Amino acid sequence: MSHMPPPPRRVNTLQARWQHPPSLSRFPFSTLQQRDISNSSNGVTSSAGNMPPSCSLVGDQRTGPSASLSFSPSFVPLSCSSSNSITSQSNKESSICTSLVTFNPSNHGHQRRVQRNIGIRDLQAAKKYGFRTPGRPDSRTGNPRSLYTYRGIRYIVDDITGHEITSYSLPTQLQKRNLSQEEQRRHEQAQAKINQDRSCWTSHTVLLVDKSGSMRQSDVTDSKNRYQSTWCALARDYISLRIESGFATDYDVVSIVVFGNEPYTLVDCVPTDWNLYNLIVDVYNQRSISKNMPKSLLRPSGHGNFLPALLCAHKLLEKTVSQSSTTLALAILSDGRPSDYQGNSITSRKAILESMESIASKFGKRLSVHGIGMGSADQFDILREVATVVQEYSCQGDFSVPALSSAGLGVAFSSLATSVTESTQLINRDESSAPGATTKAKVMRQVFREKACNVPYLTEAVDSQDFDIYMGSSVTRAVYKRDAKTFEFAPLQNEDAHGVAIKKVAFGEGGERLAFQFFELASDGETVVGDPLVAKLSRFIEEGEMDFPDIEAEADENGARSKWSARDRFVKKFCERQNAALAVAIEFNKKLDLIKKLDPDTPRVSFLDCSVYYVQKDGDAESALLVERKLDGKFTKWNGNNGFVRQSQTPVPKSTKRSQAMMSSIPEDDEAEVIDVDELPDEEFIFVTPSEVAQAFSHFSFFNSERKMLLCDLQGEYDKRENMFCFTDPVVHYYDRHNPGNRSLYGRTDLGRKGIEKFFDNHRCNRLCELVTRGFRIACDRKRQKQN
């Protein structure tokens, strides 16, 4: 009997499609091929032949057309599936919607996803499209693991149970910059000069970076942990950004202190260049930057003690304590309360604030303090207090809680870079008013500051512990006579005064001067008589010696030869300036009186009357102080010497162009035709705000001086009862087009033509500007009339 060949086997259409997937080429090569290689190498076959492991025949198990196919939701381990089955499994997951891809969550994985802001769909997409690599087996169970990488997210899965292990964003890749020989040579030269000559430093930024164990938290979206994100943002958004933008020079110095249980100076006074960038990249990539660097600094651990770190920062900042042209910045980055709190929290808090106040008291206006918090906003009460308390010493202080990412942290570092750049530009502008001019950096006066809130409203007696006291013939007073333009000696202001007292610490600080409490005393040397006064002293030692070389020795009443301090001429210059401003204020008030339709309650302008006090202790050189009445009201700044203007409320488009305001003006005289100020529109009164009065006064001063001088930086008190401005410390910008070489005539803050142009660039004329500048004829108009 001959054997008949068996009838051809009927193949289920769906099964055939799983065996030979037609659309295999459209799926990611890495996903499918990696799985094929991994499973075929094990030689494992599926018990269902070539059927996909998650597929099974349902019904009568026949292979005929009536057979149906269902997908089992259970997870099949990779180690128990063949290469074809894995291909089928992968093809299945790639064929279905991303949201239907198998996902078995775990409590630990959920916690990490929430911390790192990763969604379930992100992980399903990683499993569907991502690149798969084998991971380390579970240390407890030995189960193999798979790593899926897709679009910056890494997803780890247990191959046996299929449960989610963890997920995280891949850290940003930072590569070191290859330095040319020229760049390396330039770095070495800059480093050598920084070490030898601290007067060349443009700025000094000290960064305190917390490396406590809590910085290990992996809740940062684009970094492995908080600690790494700090170095990434520092490299990209502070170092690299400043270099590429051109705002950093080789003499912008940076120091970095890493603090845990103890502080460690990681970077000690190095220039801001690509060499510093490479050092930060090494730390970010967990590589030591020196042989002596402890490996423990590369990974966060231990506690985060603030107090030792602040003491270390204080020593670094002191390296430029006497350099006036060096901008100082202190940035503190932490992710929570200091570990110093582990003892007595009240005592620790007090010690930290006292240490910060000691730093602020020493550096004052030159220093800016920036607190940067990473994490929950309610954990940074001490950083907020640190940023607030320094403002009482004329320092700048701010605090921010950026988003938990390198990008969010980069915004905080960019803000720090902007602050340092602006402060540096402001100091450089004050140091040299003319473009291209070079001025030797002046030496700062070594004084301490007191908290502004500690200044008492009323002082009845003083003691020698807090005050320097001068009695009898050791103190004299001189007043300025505007008519004669000379100084004459005069008695003390109060008829019962026999001496004076000056506080040893300053309570205020401006661009050029320090302010001290000052009192006249009765004969007992303790009791205060008269009104409280303010003594003002130059921030710089021997200010004016180079500017006034004609100072000569003079004989005093006893015939003894004594050298006048350069401070004497400096103080007199300020006194003359304030009296000159008072003369302009008198003319301005007269102008207001001519405007009959002006509201009678329009404020008038005055300046504090000042005088010069000479004090001398036994054996010491005589010293000069500028003294004026202490303002008790609200101190307000109406405009500045750098172009700042408190805008008027009712601007007038006319006469707002700088070209018109800068045209030559001719003051009123007998021949000039004075415009009638009463020729105004029919209205009952003209109302202006106090702010508009202040801006109009600065505008008036320019026309009143024949377009040579502008009074600005108007600051002081507005007395509503007296309806009077009481200004102090004005700035004079002077420029004579017929003698342009006469620069800085009125001190360091006199920016000449540049300062005048900056004012008019920001100034918006109000109705009062138009009125008070009438009566000053424009030179071109006069020339046109002569031609006619």
Side-chain angles (χ1 to χ4, degrees):
M1 182 175 177
S2 61
H3 290 280
M4 295 290 294
R9 183 181 178 184
R10 298 178 62 186
V11 181
N12 186 290
T13 306
L14 291 177
Q15 180 180 351
R17 293 176 66 181
W18 278 107
Q19 293 176 1
H20 307 285
S23 57
L24 186 64
S25 59
R26 70 183 180 89
F27 299 114
F29 169 80
S30 57
T31 302
L32 302 180
Q33 189 183 46
Q34 288 268 343
R35 293 180 181 178
D36 289 345
I37 295 173
S38 173
N39 292 282
S40 62
S41 62
N42 294 332
V44 181
T45 60
S46 172
S47 59
N50 288 334
M51 288 288 291
S54 58
C55 301
S56 61
L57 291 175
V58 183
D60 58 2
Q61 301 296 322
R62 293 177 301 176
T63 59
S66 62
S68 62
L69 185 68
S70 67
F71 295 104
S72 171
S74 60
F75 179 84
V76 178
L78 292 177
S79 59
C80 300
S81 59
S82 66
S83 61
N84 289 336
S85 66
I86 292 302
T87 302
S88 301
Q89 170 83 5
S90 174
N91 189 38
K92 168 193 169 185
E93 293 185 346
S94 300
S95 301
I96 64 176
C97 179
T98 302
S99 60
L100 297 180
V101 172
T102 304
F103 179 78
N104 294 330
S106 65
N107 291 334
H108 175 77
H110 172 74
Q111 182 181 4
R112 290 293 178 259
R113 278 187 281 109
V114 172
Q115 286 181 342
R116 298 161 189 173
N117 196 25
I118 299 176
I120 293 178
R121 190 178 179 87
D122 296 329
L123 304 186
Q124 290 173 319
K127 192 174 180 182
K128 179 179 179 180
Y129 300 110
F131 184 85
R132 177 186 175 276
T133 56
R136 295 180 181 179
D138 191 320
S139 59
R140 293 177 299 175
T141 64
N143 291 351
R145 295 176 174 178
S146 294
L147 280 66
Y148 296 91
T149 304
Y150 182 66
R151 289 186 176 179
I153 294 178
R154 180 160 290 171
Y155 175 35
I156 305 177
V157 182
D158 190 306
D159 289 345
I160 303 298
T161 65
H163 283 98
E164 166 193 24
I165 303 300
T166 189
S167 58
Y168 56 87
S169 298
L170 293 177
T172 305
Q173 298 297 319
L174 291 182
Q175 301 296 331
K176 295 176 66 175
R177 179 186 174 94
N178 294 325
L179 301 182
S180 64
Q181 293 184 353
E182 175 61 24
E183 288 175 326
Q184 186 63 35
R185 182 188 62 82
R186 182 176 176 180
H187 164 75
E188 294 173 355
Q189 291 179 347
Q191 187 67 68
K193 188 170 183 179
I194 286 172
N195 295 338
Q196 297 173 2
D197 183 13
R198 294 175 183 172
S199 64
C200 71
W201 294 19
T202 304
S203 67
H204 186 196
T205 303
V206 178
L207 299 164
L208 303 184
V209 179
D210 184 1
K211 66 165 290 290
S212 60
S214 57
M215 293 287 283
R216 288 196 304 263
Q217 293 190 51
S218 302
D219 53 359
V220 184
T221 58
D222 50 1
S223 292
K224 187 175 182 180
N225 52 45
R226 296 178 177 182
Y227 192 61
Q228 273 199 317
S229 68
T230 301
W231 300 113
C232 179
L234 179 59
R236 293 190 310 179
D237 299 290
Y238 186 77
I239 306 300
S240 178
L241 181 64
R242 295 197 72 202
I243 297 174
E244 292 175 347
S245 63
F247 289 125
T249 68
D250 292 339
Y251 303 109
D252 285 296
V253 181
V254 174
S255 298
I256 303 176
V257 176
V258 177
F259 67 95
N261 295 331
E262 296 293 335
Y264 181 86
T265 304
L266 188 67
V267 175
D268 189 358
C269 301
V270 301
T272 302
D273 55 16
W274 291 114
N275 185 79
L276 174 60
Y277 173 83
N278 287 344
L279 293 179
I280 303 302
V281 171
D282 279 339
V283 177
Y284 173 75
N285 293 323
Q286 298 184 339
R287 292 193 294 262
S288 297
I289 61 176
S290 66
K291 295 181 179 179
N292 299 327
M293 176 182 172
K295 294 291 184 64
S296 60
L297 296 179
L298 299 175
R299 294 176 176 84
S301 61
H303 300 295
N305 296 321
F306 274 36
L307 192 57
L310 290 176
L311 295 176
C312 185
H314 196 167
K315 293 180 180 179
L316 290 170
L317 292 171
E318 280 186 330
K319 293 186 177 183
T320 56
V321 66
S322 62
Q323 305 302 325
S324 65
S325 59
T326 305
T327 299
L328 301 178
L330 173 62
I332 308 172
L333 188 143
S334 178
D335 67 342
R337 293 188 177 96
S339 299
D340 310 76
Y341 275 20
Q342 290 185 354
N344 187 324
S345 61
I346 298 178
T347 304
S348 300
R349 172 185 169 278
K350 182 180 179 181
I352 291 172
L353 293 180
E354 286 179 349
S355 178
M356 193 67 247
E357 288 182 21
S358 176
I359 296 174
S361 173
K362 193 161 193 175
F363 300 103
K365 191 180 180 70
R366 295 170 57 206
L367 176 67
S368 61
V369 178
H370 309 266
I372 304 174
M374 296 188 66
S376 178
D378 59 353
Q379 299 292 317
F380 304 111
D381 50 340
I382 188 65
L383 273 182
R384 284 192 180 91
E385 288 187 79
V386 164
T388 301
V389 73
V390 298
Q391 299 177 23
E392 296 286 343
Y393 297 90
S394 300
C395 300
Q396 300 178 37
D398 61 69
F399 170 75
S400 61
V401 183
L404 281 175
S405 64
S406 296
L409 193 58
V411 173
F413 278 116
S414 297
S415 176
L416 171 63
T418 301
S419 175
V420 172
T421 300
E422 291 178 350
S423 299
T424 302
Q425 290 175 345
L426 181 61
I427 288 180
N428 289 340
R429 181 166 62 241
D430 289 344
E431 288 291 337
S432 177
S433 60
T438 56
T439 303
K440 185 177 180 179
K442 298 175 175 61
V443 181
M444 294 288 295
R445 192 177 303 281
Q446 301 294 325
V447 298
F448 286 93
R449 289 90 175 161
E450 64 177 331
K451 293 178 69 172
C453 61
N454 289 345
V455 178
Y457 181 78
L458 179 63
T459 302
E460 297 181 349
V462 299
D463 60 81
S464 58
Q465 183 177 355
D466 297 326
F467 288 81
D468 289 326
I469 298 176
Y470 305 88
M471 300 297 295
S473 60
S474 62
V475 54
T476 55
R477 174 173 173 255
V479 295
Y480 182 74
K481 297 297 183 180
R482 286 193 297 272
D483 296 336
K485 295 184 178 181
T486 59
F487 285 87
E488 296 181 1
F489 285 100
L492 301 184
Q493 297 188 37
N494 191 280
E495 58 183 10
D496 296 327
H498 292 78
V500 298
I502 180 173
K503 194 75 176 286
K504 294 180 180 179
V505 293
F507 74 88
E509 184 175 5
E512 289 192 89
R513 288 179 284 185
L514 299 163
F516 300 80
Q517 295 184 63
F518 190 87
F519 302 99
E520 291 187 339
L521 304 178
S523 57
D524 60 1
E526 295 180 356
T527 305
V528 174
V529 295
D531 296 329
L533 305 172
V534 175
K536 296 185 176 181
L537 191 64
S538 170
R539 293 175 61 205
F540 311 99
I541 295 177
E542 298 180 349
E543 176 70 30
E545 274 196 341
M546 297 179 62
D547 299 332
F548 309 111
D550 57 333
I551 299 176
E552 298 179 355
E554 297 181 3
D556 57 19
E557 295 179 355
N558 300 323
R561 301 291 294 179
S562 62
K563 176 84 172 182
W564 281 90
S565 171
R567 194 187 310 172
D568 171 59
R569 291 294 299 270
F570 176 77
V571 168
K572 284 184 175 180
K573 275 291 180 183
F574 271 99
C575 192
E576 292 173 0
R577 179 195 305 178
Q578 195 141 314
N579 277 275
L582 179 59
V584 177
I586 293 173
E587 294 297 323
F588 178 76
N589 293 335
K590 290 180 180 178
K591 198 76 172 181
L592 296 183
D593 294 337
L594 294 176
I595 307 173
K596 297 180 180 179
K597 290 188 177 182
L598 186 65
D599 177 27
D601 293 330
T602 301
R604 268 41 178 182
V605 174
S606 70
F607 283 82
L608 287 177
D609 191 16
C610 59
S611 54
V612 179
Y613 281 68
Y614 297 98
V615 295
Q616 184 177 19
K617 283 188 175 180
D618 295 338
D620 294 339
E622 190 175 45
S623 181
L625 304 170
L626 179 68
V627 178
E628 61 188 21
R629 178 174 61 86
K630 183 176 182 293
L631 295 174
D632 296 324
K634 181 181 179 181
F635 199 87
T636 305
K637 194 179 187 72
W638 304 98
N639 56 38
N641 68 322
N642 60 351
F644 160 73
V645 172
R646 188 183 294 271
Q647 295 292 355
S648 302
Q649 297 179 359
T650 55
V652 176
K654 187 178 180 180
S655 303
T656 56
K657 298 294 184 180
R658 185 210 299 176
S659 58
Q660 182 173 354
M662 295 286 289
M663 294 175 69
S664 298
S665 60
I666 302 174
E668 298 173 354
D669 52 32
D670 295 335
E671 298 180 358
E673 181 183 355
V674 180
I675 299 176
D676 186 0
V677 295
D678 290 331
E679 294 178 0
L680 300 171
D682 294 334
E683 53 183 305
E684 187 175 356
F685 284 112
I686 299 172
F687 296 94
V688 291
T689 64
S691 175
E692 291 173 331
V693 174
Q695 310 312 330
F697 172 73
S698 291
H699 197 160
F700 171 83
S701 68
F702 182 68
F703 278 78
N704 186 69
S705 61
E706 301 182 45
R707 199 192 60 96
K708 294 180 181 178
M709 181 177 71
L710 178 80
L711 284 169
C712 61
D713 201 23
L714 301 181
Q715 54 190 329
E717 174 187 51
Y718 171 49
D719 190 340
K720 293 184 179 180
R721 278 189 289 182
E722 298 293 334
N723 202 26
M724 179 73 71
F725 280 109
C726 197
F727 293 134
T728 183
D729 286 353
V731 166
V732 178
H733 296 316
Y734 183 87
Y735 175 75
D736 186 355
R737 60 175 184 166
H738 300 295
N739 186 17
N742 194 5
R743 296 170 177 170
S744 300
L745 184 66
Y746 288 92
R748 300 172 66 247
T749 55
D750 179 2
L751 306 184
R753 179 172 183 172
K754 183 178 179 181
I756 296 173
E757 291 177 348
K758 273 187 170 292
F759 173 82
F760 283 110
D761 283 341
N762 295 278
H763 172 70
R764 298 175 65 188
C765 287
N766 56 70
R767 299 206 58 183
L768 193 58
C769 290
E770 182 183 4
L771 298 176
V772 297
T773 55
R774 290 192 178 191
F776 297 97
R777 301 181 59 190
I778 304 300
C780 61
D781 293 340
R782 188 176 186 180
K783 183 183 296 185
R784 190 181 300 113
Q785 290 179 3
K786 287 183 177 180
Q787 292 176 352
N788 295 334

